Amino acid sequence: MITLYDAARCPYCARVRIVLAEKGVEVETVEIDLQNRPEWLYGKNVTGRVPVVEEDDGPPLPESVVIMEFLEDRYPEPPLLPRDPVDRAFVRLLVFRDHDFTDPYYAFRRGEDGADERFLSAIAQLNVALSERPYLGGAEYGLADIAYVPWVLRARDMLGVEIGPFPALRDWLARLEERPAIASEAGIVAAL
Ligand SMILES: N[C@@H](CCC(=O)N[C@@H](CS)C(=O)NCC(=O)O)C(=O)O
């Protein structure tokens, strides 16, 4: 059994929720109030952040990217990384550079000067990538899509960003939302 220390509004936690759902892993969820974090959370992650996962008698594992890779290793089916080493490296590169998208997102959310333009440009870059291939990581759905989609859902559904002008991104999101794991995350976002 896996325990996930979670927060519904957290997009990093969303990554982990989606991977667990894709792999059909049974999970016990402990919702953390980020405004009033329990002191014991620092014993599981020195930064006090979520997500953290823990197996029975296992060490706590923080950091969404580490957790996604751990879950991929622990539950290889269905695979969420391509087989080919170069393709795997490409997915990891996109995940490694997630701040190229998330930094403009947070600047936009904070209403910083010039952030609208910066965030729309980051969205446009995703749109270009998705007009060249069906999924962010290439031919198959996987960890690259899961790494980015939590922010795209929140941008659309919480920040009111219009994605219609970005047809490749819009179609990618529609394809993703056909997946129960992503539809469930869209439901969580809708309830926030
Ligand atoms: N690098 C971390 C970031 C996790 C993160 O920033 N989580 C936020 C919630 S979305 C958090 O716990 N914030 C509390 C804080 O910063 O003190 C990851 O990928 O897991």
Side-chain angles (χ1 to χ4, degrees):
M1 173 66 95
I2 277 207
T3 302
L4 168 63
Y5 300 91
D6 193 23
R9 73 173 167 83
C10 173
Y12 298 96
C13 292
R15 290 172 161 175
V16 176
R17 290 193 289 267
I18 294 168
V19 173
L20 287 166
E22 291 290 1
K23 291 179 180 288
V25 177
E26 199 187 335
V27 59
E28 188 186 332
T29 298
V30 178
E31 182 74 16
I32 300 294
D33 178 356
L34 293 175
Q35 308 304 328
N36 185 20
R37 252 166 303 171
E39 207 47 44
W40 52 256
L41 188 59
Y42 290 88
K44 299 191 183 293
N45 182 3
V46 286
T47 69
R49 292 183 170 187
V50 288
V52 176
V53 301
E54 219 171 40
E55 291 181 317
D56 289 343
D57 302 324
L61 298 172
E63 293 296 337
S64 60
V65 176
V66 173
I67 297 169
M68 287 197 297
E69 292 258 0
F70 163 73
L71 293 173
E72 180 68 6
D73 289 342
R74 176 66 86 212
Y75 307 100
E77 296 299 329
L80 294 171
L81 276 173
R83 287 180 67 87
D84 179 78
V86 172
D87 296 342
R88 291 166 83 88
F90 181 64
V91 168
R92 289 179 171 130
L93 180 63
L94 288 172
V95 177
F96 186 74
R97 292 191 172 154
D98 60 359
H99 52 267
D100 289 348
F101 190 73
T102 59
D103 288 356
Y105 168 94
Y106 288 114
F108 176 75
R109 202 179 71 174
R110 289 191 294 266
E112 289 177 12
D113 273 357
D116 297 27
E117 209 170 286
R118 206 173 139 218
F119 187 44
L120 287 180
S121 155
I123 293 177
Q125 282 173 42
L126 278 194
N127 188 60
V128 169
L130 289 164
S131 57
E132 291 164 355
R133 49 189 192 266
Y135 295 102
L136 281 175
E140 305 290 341
Y141 164 81
L143 290 189
D145 305 291
I146 295 170
Y148 283 72
V149 72
W151 284 267
V152 177
L153 285 173
R154 283 160 178 76
R156 185 192 65 183
D157 298 345
M158 295 176 70
L159 306 183
V161 173
E162 185 57 63
I163 62 165
F166 304 98
L169 180 81
R170 181 200 59 209
D171 294 352
W172 165 80
L173 191 55
R175 275 199 303 285
L176 259 57
E177 287 188 288
E178 285 169 12
R179 308 183 70 87
I182 306 284
S184 163
E185 184 58 31
I188 290 174
V189 173
L192 288 174

PDB file of all heavy atoms in Angstrom, residues 62-93:
ATOM      1  N   PRO A  62       9.948  12.436  -1.408  1.00  0.00           N
ATOM      2  CA  PRO A  62       9.386  13.696  -1.895  1.00  0.00           C
ATOM      3  C   PRO A  62       9.795  13.966  -3.346  1.00  0.00           C
ATOM      4  O   PRO A  62      10.500  13.157  -3.951  1.00  0.00           O
ATOM      5  CB  PRO A  62      10.028  14.733  -0.960  1.00  0.00           C
ATOM      6  CG  PRO A  62      11.347  14.136  -0.599  1.00  0.00           C
ATOM      7  CD  PRO A  62      11.241  12.627  -0.729  1.00  0.00           C
ATOM      8  N   GLU A  63       9.351  15.085  -3.871  1.00  0.00           N
ATOM      9  CA  GLU A  63       9.683  15.608  -5.207  1.00  0.00           C
ATOM     10  C   GLU A  63       8.919  14.845  -6.296  1.00  0.00           C
ATOM     11  O   GLU A  63       9.183  13.670  -6.579  1.00  0.00           O
ATOM     12  CB  GLU A  63      11.187  15.580  -5.507  1.00  0.00           C
ATOM     13  CG  GLU A  63      12.000  16.528  -4.646  1.00  0.00           C
ATOM     14  CD  GLU A  63      11.662  18.009  -4.878  1.00  0.00           C
ATOM     15  OE1 GLU A  63      11.154  18.338  -5.958  1.00  0.00           O
ATOM     16  OE2 GLU A  63      11.892  18.808  -3.969  1.00  0.00           O
ATOM     17  N   SER A  64       8.022  15.586  -6.941  1.00  0.00           N
ATOM     18  CA  SER A  64       7.129  14.953  -7.909  1.00  0.00           C
ATOM     19  C   SER A  64       7.866  14.231  -9.040  1.00  0.00           C
ATOM     20  O   SER A  64       7.433  13.158  -9.469  1.00  0.00           O
ATOM     21  CB  SER A  64       6.167  15.987  -8.493  1.00  0.00           C
ATOM     22  OG  SER A  64       6.865  17.023  -9.148  1.00  0.00           O
ATOM     23  N   VAL A  65       8.971  14.783  -9.497  1.00  0.00           N
ATOM     24  CA  VAL A  65       9.669  14.142 -10.618  1.00  0.00           C
ATOM     25  C   VAL A  65      10.295  12.817 -10.164  1.00  0.00           C
ATOM     26  O   VAL A  65      10.230  11.798 -10.871  1.00  0.00           O
ATOM     27  CB  VAL A  65      10.745  15.088 -11.210  1.00  0.00           C
ATOM     28  CG1 VAL A  65      11.521  14.388 -12.308  1.00  0.00           C
ATOM     29  CG2 VAL A  65      10.100  16.361 -11.737  1.00  0.00           C
ATOM     30  N   VAL A  66      10.870  12.851  -8.959  1.00  0.00           N
ATOM     31  CA  VAL A  66      11.456  11.628  -8.390  1.00  0.00           C
ATOM     32  C   VAL A  66      10.352  10.587  -8.185  1.00  0.00           C
ATOM     33  O   VAL A  66      10.524   9.398  -8.501  1.00  0.00           O
ATOM     34  CB  VAL A  66      12.161  11.952  -7.052  1.00  0.00           C
ATOM     35  CG1 VAL A  66      12.620  10.685  -6.352  1.00  0.00           C
ATOM     36  CG2 VAL A  66      13.328  12.907  -7.287  1.00  0.00           C
ATOM     37  N   ILE A  67       9.215  11.048  -7.690  1.00  0.00           N
ATOM     38  CA  ILE A  67       8.108  10.117  -7.414  1.00  0.00           C
ATOM     39  C   ILE A  67       7.566   9.513  -8.714  1.00  0.00           C
ATOM     40  O   ILE A  67       7.305   8.303  -8.788  1.00  0.00           O
ATOM     41  CB  ILE A  67       6.977  10.832  -6.638  1.00  0.00           C
ATOM     42  CG1 ILE A  67       7.464  11.316  -5.277  1.00  0.00           C
ATOM     43  CG2 ILE A  67       5.791   9.892  -6.455  1.00  0.00           C
ATOM     44  CD1 ILE A  67       6.499  12.261  -4.557  1.00  0.00           C
ATOM     45  N   MET A  68       7.424  10.349  -9.739  1.00  0.00           N
ATOM     46  CA  MET A  68       6.918   9.808 -11.015  1.00  0.00           C
ATOM     47  C   MET A  68       7.843   8.702 -11.531  1.00  0.00           C
ATOM     48  O   MET A  68       7.382   7.650 -11.978  1.00  0.00           O
ATOM     49  CB  MET A  68       6.808  10.918 -12.077  1.00  0.00           C
ATOM     50  CG  MET A  68       5.663  11.877 -11.832  1.00  0.00           C
ATOM     51  SD  MET A  68       5.243  12.861 -13.302  1.00  0.00           S
ATOM     52  CE  MET A  68       6.726  13.798 -13.562  1.00  0.00           C
ATOM     53  N   GLU A  69       9.143   8.949 -11.443  1.00  0.00           N
ATOM     54  CA  GLU A  69      10.104   7.942 -11.934  1.00  0.00           C
ATOM     55  C   GLU A  69      10.083   6.701 -11.039  1.00  0.00           C
ATOM     56  O   GLU A  69      10.200   5.578 -11.518  1.00  0.00           O
ATOM     57  CB  GLU A  69      11.514   8.539 -11.971  1.00  0.00           C
ATOM     58  CG  GLU A  69      11.674   9.625 -13.015  1.00  0.00           C
ATOM     59  CD  GLU A  69      12.398   9.150 -14.267  1.00  0.00           C
ATOM     60  OE1 GLU A  69      12.782   7.965 -14.346  1.00  0.00           O
ATOM     61  OE2 GLU A  69      12.571   9.990 -15.177  1.00  0.00           O
ATOM     62  N   PHE A  70       9.954   6.929  -9.729  1.00  0.00           N
ATOM     63  CA  PHE A  70       9.871   5.801  -8.802  1.00  0.00           C
ATOM     64  C   PHE A  70       8.656   4.935  -9.140  1.00  0.00           C
ATOM     65  O   PHE A  70       8.749   3.699  -9.200  1.00  0.00           O
ATOM     66  CB  PHE A  70       9.779   6.316  -7.355  1.00  0.00           C
ATOM     67  CG  PHE A  70       9.294   5.284  -6.387  1.00  0.00           C
ATOM     68  CD1 PHE A  70      10.107   4.227  -6.008  1.00  0.00           C
ATOM     69  CD2 PHE A  70       8.006   5.353  -5.858  1.00  0.00           C
ATOM     70  CE1 PHE A  70       9.649   3.257  -5.123  1.00  0.00           C
ATOM     71  CE2 PHE A  70       7.541   4.398  -4.981  1.00  0.00           C
ATOM     72  CZ  PHE A  70       8.365   3.343  -4.612  1.00  0.00           C
ATOM     73  N   LEU A  71       7.513   5.568  -9.361  1.00  0.00           N
ATOM     74  CA  LEU A  71       6.293   4.809  -9.663  1.00  0.00           C
ATOM     75  C   LEU A  71       6.433   4.062 -10.987  1.00  0.00           C
ATOM     76  O   LEU A  71       5.937   2.946 -11.139  1.00  0.00           O
ATOM     77  CB  LEU A  71       5.073   5.743  -9.685  1.00  0.00           C
ATOM     78  CG  LEU A  71       4.705   6.350  -8.321  1.00  0.00           C
ATOM     79  CD1 LEU A  71       3.601   7.395  -8.479  1.00  0.00           C
ATOM     80  CD2 LEU A  71       4.273   5.267  -7.323  1.00  0.00           C
ATOM     81  N   GLU A  72       7.132   4.688 -11.929  1.00  0.00           N
ATOM     82  CA  GLU A  72       7.367   4.023 -13.217  1.00  0.00           C
ATOM     83  C   GLU A  72       8.223   2.758 -13.015  1.00  0.00           C
ATOM     84  O   GLU A  72       7.984   1.728 -13.636  1.00  0.00           O
ATOM     85  CB  GLU A  72       8.046   5.011 -14.178  1.00  0.00           C
ATOM     86  CG  GLU A  72       8.361   4.490 -15.552  1.00  0.00           C
ATOM     87  CD  GLU A  72       7.119   4.212 -16.404  1.00  0.00           C
ATOM     88  OE1 GLU A  72       6.006   4.519 -15.989  1.00  0.00           O
ATOM     89  OE2 GLU A  72       7.307   3.636 -17.490  1.00  0.00           O
ATOM     90  N   ASP A  73       9.214   2.863 -12.116  1.00  0.00           N
ATOM     91  CA  ASP A  73      10.065   1.701 -11.829  1.00  0.00           C
ATOM     92  C   ASP A  73       9.293   0.634 -11.045  1.00  0.00           C
ATOM     93  O   ASP A  73       9.419  -0.564 -11.309  1.00  0.00           O
ATOM     94  CB  ASP A  73      11.278   2.121 -10.994  1.00  0.00           C
ATOM     95  CG  ASP A  73      12.279   2.940 -11.802  1.00  0.00           C
ATOM     96  OD1 ASP A  73      12.216   2.896 -13.047  1.00  0.00           O
ATOM     97  OD2 ASP A  73      13.116   3.626 -11.182  1.00  0.00           O
ATOM     98  N   ARG A  74       8.523   1.092 -10.087  1.00  0.00           N
ATOM     99  CA  ARG A  74       7.820   0.154  -9.199  1.00  0.00           C
ATOM    100  C   ARG A  74       6.668  -0.542  -9.908  1.00  0.00           C
ATOM    101  O   ARG A  74       6.407  -1.723  -9.697  1.00  0.00           O
ATOM    102  CB  ARG A  74       7.310   0.910  -7.955  1.00  0.00           C
ATOM    103  CG  ARG A  74       6.491   0.096  -7.003  1.00  0.00           C
ATOM    104  CD  ARG A  74       7.291  -1.015  -6.331  1.00  0.00           C
ATOM    105  NE  ARG A  74       7.987  -0.556  -5.150  1.00  0.00           N
ATOM    106  CZ  ARG A  74       9.164  -1.046  -4.732  1.00  0.00           C
ATOM    107  NH1 ARG A  74       9.770  -1.981  -5.432  1.00  0.00           N
ATOM    108  NH2 ARG A  74       9.730  -0.604  -3.640  1.00  0.00           N
ATOM    109  N   TYR A  75       5.979   0.207 -10.760  1.00  0.00           N
ATOM    110  CA  TYR A  75       4.803  -0.326 -11.477  1.00  0.00           C
ATOM    111  C   TYR A  75       5.016  -0.085 -12.967  1.00  0.00           C
ATOM    112  O   TYR A  75       4.518   0.906 -13.527  1.00  0.00           O
ATOM    113  CB  TYR A  75       3.516   0.379 -11.026  1.00  0.00           C
ATOM    114  CG  TYR A  75       3.301   0.373  -9.530  1.00  0.00           C
ATOM    115  CD1 TYR A  75       3.616   1.499  -8.766  1.00  0.00           C
ATOM    116  CD2 TYR A  75       2.786  -0.745  -8.884  1.00  0.00           C
ATOM    117  CE1 TYR A  75       3.423   1.502  -7.393  1.00  0.00           C
ATOM    118  CE2 TYR A  75       2.589  -0.751  -7.512  1.00  0.00           C
ATOM    119  CZ  TYR A  75       2.916   0.376  -6.776  1.00  0.00           C
ATOM    120  OH  TYR A  75       2.726   0.378  -5.409  1.00  0.00           O
ATOM    121  N   PRO A  76       5.779  -0.955 -13.620  1.00  0.00           N
ATOM    122  CA  PRO A  76       6.162  -0.679 -15.020  1.00  0.00           C
ATOM    123  C   PRO A  76       4.990  -0.681 -16.002  1.00  0.00           C
ATOM    124  O   PRO A  76       5.134  -0.163 -17.109  1.00  0.00           O
ATOM    125  CB  PRO A  76       7.142  -1.805 -15.357  1.00  0.00           C
ATOM    126  CG  PRO A  76       7.471  -2.477 -14.072  1.00  0.00           C
ATOM    127  CD  PRO A  76       6.380  -2.191 -13.100  1.00  0.00           C
ATOM    128  N   GLU A  77       3.864  -1.258 -15.606  1.00  0.00           N
ATOM    129  CA  GLU A  77       2.727  -1.347 -16.540  1.00  0.00           C
ATOM    130  C   GLU A  77       1.574  -0.446 -16.123  1.00  0.00           C
ATOM    131  O   GLU A  77       1.240  -0.421 -14.940  1.00  0.00           O
ATOM    132  CB  GLU A  77       2.229  -2.797 -16.624  1.00  0.00           C
ATOM    133  CG  GLU A  77       3.241  -3.759 -17.207  1.00  0.00           C
ATOM    134  CD  GLU A  77       3.659  -3.441 -18.648  1.00  0.00           C
ATOM    135  OE1 GLU A  77       2.810  -2.902 -19.403  1.00  0.00           O
ATOM    136  OE2 GLU A  77       4.804  -3.706 -18.994  1.00  0.00           O
ATOM    137  N   PRO A  78       0.944   0.246 -17.015  1.00  0.00           N
ATOM    138  CA  PRO A  78       1.380   0.479 -18.393  1.00  0.00           C
ATOM    139  C   PRO A  78       2.551   1.461 -18.397  1.00  0.00           C
ATOM    140  O   PRO A  78       2.601   2.350 -17.541  1.00  0.00           O
ATOM    141  CB  PRO A  78       0.141   1.114 -19.039  1.00  0.00           C
ATOM    142  CG  PRO A  78      -0.561   1.798 -17.901  1.00  0.00           C
ATOM    143  CD  PRO A  78      -0.306   0.972 -16.692  1.00  0.00           C
ATOM    144  N   PRO A  79       3.473   1.283 -19.334  1.00  0.00           N
ATOM    145  CA  PRO A  79       4.653   2.160 -19.343  1.00  0.00           C
ATOM    146  C   PRO A  79       4.276   3.611 -19.659  1.00  0.00           C
ATOM    147  O   PRO A  79       3.439   3.859 -20.518  1.00  0.00           O
ATOM    148  CB  PRO A  79       5.540   1.580 -20.448  1.00  0.00           C
ATOM    149  CG  PRO A  79       4.661   0.726 -21.274  1.00  0.00           C
ATOM    150  CD  PRO A  79       3.489   0.307 -20.431  1.00  0.00           C
ATOM    151  N   LEU A  80       4.926   4.514 -18.954  1.00  0.00           N
ATOM    152  CA  LEU A  80       4.695   5.941 -19.192  1.00  0.00           C
ATOM    153  C   LEU A  80       5.966   6.630 -19.676  1.00  0.00           C
ATOM    154  O   LEU A  80       6.001   7.845 -19.816  1.00  0.00           O
ATOM    155  CB  LEU A  80       4.147   6.613 -17.928  1.00  0.00           C
ATOM    156  CG  LEU A  80       2.757   6.134 -17.503  1.00  0.00           C
ATOM    157  CD1 LEU A  80       2.379   6.681 -16.133  1.00  0.00           C
ATOM    158  CD2 LEU A  80       1.695   6.520 -18.533  1.00  0.00           C
ATOM    159  N   LEU A  81       7.010   5.829 -19.900  1.00  0.00           N
ATOM    160  CA  LEU A  81       8.226   6.316 -20.556  1.00  0.00           C
ATOM    161  C   LEU A  81       8.440   5.460 -21.794  1.00  0.00           C
ATOM    162  O   LEU A  81       8.159   4.253 -21.769  1.00  0.00           O
ATOM    163  CB  LEU A  81       9.449   6.148 -19.638  1.00  0.00           C
ATOM    164  CG  LEU A  81       9.730   7.230 -18.610  1.00  0.00           C
ATOM    165  CD1 LEU A  81      10.875   6.793 -17.680  1.00  0.00           C
ATOM    166  CD2 LEU A  81      10.079   8.564 -19.261  1.00  0.00           C
ATOM    167  N   PRO A  82       8.950   6.072 -22.887  1.00  0.00           N
ATOM    168  CA  PRO A  82       9.228   5.258 -24.073  1.00  0.00           C
ATOM    169  C   PRO A  82      10.349   4.255 -23.794  1.00  0.00           C
ATOM    170  O   PRO A  82      11.080   4.385 -22.815  1.00  0.00           O
ATOM    171  CB  PRO A  82       9.658   6.290 -25.120  1.00  0.00           C
ATOM    172  CG  PRO A  82       9.672   7.617 -24.466  1.00  0.00           C
ATOM    173  CD  PRO A  82       9.312   7.480 -23.035  1.00  0.00           C
ATOM    174  N   ARG A  83      10.495   3.284 -24.690  1.00  0.00           N
ATOM    175  CA  ARG A  83      11.536   2.254 -24.501  1.00  0.00           C
ATOM    176  C   ARG A  83      12.912   2.758 -24.940  1.00  0.00           C
ATOM    177  O   ARG A  83      13.923   2.454 -24.322  1.00  0.00           O
ATOM    178  CB  ARG A  83      11.200   1.000 -25.332  1.00  0.00           C
ATOM    179  CG  ARG A  83      10.055   0.198 -24.764  1.00  0.00           C
ATOM    180  CD  ARG A  83       9.795  -1.013 -25.655  1.00  0.00           C
ATOM    181  NE  ARG A  83      10.926  -1.955 -25.609  1.00  0.00           N
ATOM    182  CZ  ARG A  83      11.053  -2.909 -24.695  1.00  0.00           C
ATOM    183  NH1 ARG A  83      10.134  -3.047 -23.762  1.00  0.00           N
ATOM    184  NH2 ARG A  83      12.076  -3.727 -24.708  1.00  0.00           N
ATOM    185  N   ASP A  84      12.919   3.513 -26.011  1.00  0.00           N
ATOM    186  CA  ASP A  84      14.182   3.930 -26.612  1.00  0.00           C
ATOM    187  C   ASP A  84      14.897   4.949 -25.706  1.00  0.00           C
ATOM    188  O   ASP A  84      14.287   5.915 -25.250  1.00  0.00           O
ATOM    189  CB  ASP A  84      13.882   4.566 -27.973  1.00  0.00           C
ATOM    190  CG  ASP A  84      15.163   5.030 -28.629  1.00  0.00           C
ATOM    191  OD1 ASP A  84      15.882   4.177 -29.166  1.00  0.00           O
ATOM    192  OD2 ASP A  84      15.448   6.253 -28.589  1.00  0.00           O
ATOM    193  N   PRO A  85      16.200   4.730 -25.444  1.00  0.00           N
ATOM    194  CA  PRO A  85      16.927   5.623 -24.532  1.00  0.00           C
ATOM    195  C   PRO A  85      16.911   7.088 -24.956  1.00  0.00           C
ATOM    196  O   PRO A  85      16.829   7.983 -24.110  1.00  0.00           O
ATOM    197  CB  PRO A  85      18.364   5.069 -24.544  1.00  0.00           C
ATOM    198  CG  PRO A  85      18.211   3.638 -24.916  1.00  0.00           C
ATOM    199  CD  PRO A  85      17.028   3.579 -25.847  1.00  0.00           C
ATOM    200  N   VAL A  86      16.997   7.338 -26.250  1.00  0.00           N
ATOM    201  CA  VAL A  86      16.985   8.741 -26.714  1.00  0.00           C
ATOM    202  C   VAL A  86      15.607   9.353 -26.465  1.00  0.00           C
ATOM    203  O   VAL A  86      15.483  10.487 -25.999  1.00  0.00           O
ATOM    204  CB  VAL A  86      17.375   8.820 -28.209  1.00  0.00           C
ATOM    205  CG1 VAL A  86      17.169  10.236 -28.745  1.00  0.00           C
ATOM    206  CG2 VAL A  86      18.830   8.397 -28.391  1.00  0.00           C
ATOM    207  N   ASP A  87      14.569   8.568 -26.735  1.00  0.00           N
ATOM    208  CA  ASP A  87      13.208   9.059 -26.498  1.00  0.00           C
ATOM    209  C   ASP A  87      12.976   9.292 -24.999  1.00  0.00           C
ATOM    210  O   ASP A  87      12.309  10.260 -24.611  1.00  0.00           O
ATOM    211  CB  ASP A  87      12.173   8.065 -27.032  1.00  0.00           C
ATOM    212  CG  ASP A  87      12.249   7.913 -28.550  1.00  0.00           C
ATOM    213  OD1 ASP A  87      12.845   8.793 -29.202  1.00  0.00           O
ATOM    214  OD2 ASP A  87      11.734   6.912 -29.076  1.00  0.00           O
ATOM    215  N   ARG A  88      13.541   8.415 -24.183  1.00  0.00           N
ATOM    216  CA  ARG A  88      13.398   8.589 -22.720  1.00  0.00           C
ATOM    217  C   ARG A  88      14.104   9.868 -22.279  1.00  0.00           C
ATOM    218  O   ARG A  88      13.603  10.634 -21.471  1.00  0.00           O
ATOM    219  CB  ARG A  88      14.013   7.390 -21.967  1.00  0.00           C
ATOM    220  CG  ARG A  88      13.252   6.120 -22.149  1.00  0.00           C
ATOM    221  CD  ARG A  88      14.066   4.927 -21.694  1.00  0.00           C
ATOM    222  NE  ARG A  88      14.010   4.685 -20.261  1.00  0.00           N
ATOM    223  CZ  ARG A  88      13.090   3.944 -19.658  1.00  0.00           C
ATOM    224  NH1 ARG A  88      12.129   3.382 -20.363  1.00  0.00           N
ATOM    225  NH2 ARG A  88      13.117   3.751 -18.356  1.00  0.00           N
ATOM    226  N   ALA A  89      15.295  10.079 -22.855  1.00  0.00           N
ATOM    227  CA  ALA A  89      16.056  11.287 -22.504  1.00  0.00           C
ATOM    228  C   ALA A  89      15.287  12.535 -22.928  1.00  0.00           C
ATOM    229  O   ALA A  89      15.292  13.550 -22.212  1.00  0.00           O
ATOM    230  CB  ALA A  89      17.429  11.252 -23.177  1.00  0.00           C
ATOM    231  N   PHE A  90      14.604  12.460 -24.057  1.00  0.00           N
ATOM    232  CA  PHE A  90      13.835  13.611 -24.540  1.00  0.00           C
ATOM    233  C   PHE A  90      12.706  13.951 -23.560  1.00  0.00           C
ATOM    234  O   PHE A  90      12.483  15.111 -23.216  1.00  0.00           O
ATOM    235  CB  PHE A  90      13.288  13.311 -25.942  1.00  0.00           C
ATOM    236  CG  PHE A  90      12.503  14.452 -26.523  1.00  0.00           C
ATOM    237  CD1 PHE A  90      13.117  15.664 -26.809  1.00  0.00           C
ATOM    238  CD2 PHE A  90      11.144  14.323 -26.755  1.00  0.00           C
ATOM    239  CE1 PHE A  90      12.390  16.729 -27.325  1.00  0.00           C
ATOM    240  CE2 PHE A  90      10.410  15.385 -27.268  1.00  0.00           C
ATOM    241  CZ  PHE A  90      11.036  16.586 -27.547  1.00  0.00           C
ATOM    242  N   VAL A  91      12.019  12.919 -23.091  1.00  0.00           N
ATOM    243  CA  VAL A  91      10.952  13.135 -22.094  1.00  0.00           C
ATOM    244  C   VAL A  91      11.553  13.765 -20.833  1.00  0.00           C
ATOM    245  O   VAL A  91      11.019  14.744 -20.288  1.00  0.00           O
ATOM    246  CB  VAL A  91      10.253  11.800 -21.748  1.00  0.00           C
ATOM    247  CG1 VAL A  91       9.352  11.954 -20.524  1.00  0.00           C
ATOM    248  CG2 VAL A  91       9.444  11.294 -22.944  1.00  0.00           C
ATOM    249  N   ARG A  92      12.693  13.220 -20.398  1.00  0.00           N
ATOM    250  CA  ARG A  92      13.308  13.744 -19.158  1.00  0.00           C
ATOM    251  C   ARG A  92      13.758  15.186 -19.340  1.00  0.00           C
ATOM    252  O   ARG A  92      13.704  15.979 -18.409  1.00  0.00           O
ATOM    253  CB  ARG A  92      14.469  12.843 -18.748  1.00  0.00           C
ATOM    254  CG  ARG A  92      13.952  11.500 -18.243  1.00  0.00           C
ATOM    255  CD  ARG A  92      15.072  10.578 -17.847  1.00  0.00           C
ATOM    256  NE  ARG A  92      14.539   9.408 -17.176  1.00  0.00           N
ATOM    257  CZ  ARG A  92      14.851   8.151 -17.488  1.00  0.00           C
ATOM    258  NH1 ARG A  92      15.695   7.897 -18.473  1.00  0.00           N
ATOM    259  NH2 ARG A  92      14.319   7.150 -16.815  1.00  0.00           N
ATOM    260  N   LEU A  93      14.209  15.513 -20.531  1.00  0.00           N
ATOM    261  CA  LEU A  93      14.617  16.894 -20.801  1.00  0.00           C
ATOM    262  C   LEU A  93      13.423  17.844 -20.664  1.00  0.00           C
ATOM    263  O   LEU A  93      13.524  18.905 -20.037  1.00  0.00           O
ATOM    264  CB  LEU A  93      15.207  16.973 -22.217  1.00  0.00           C
ATOM    265  CG  LEU A  93      15.684  18.342 -22.682  1.00  0.00           C
ATOM    266  CD1 LEU A  93      16.832  18.840 -21.802  1.00  0.00           C
ATOM    267  CD2 LEU A  93      16.121  18.277 -24.141  1.00  0.00           C
TER     268      LEU A  93
END
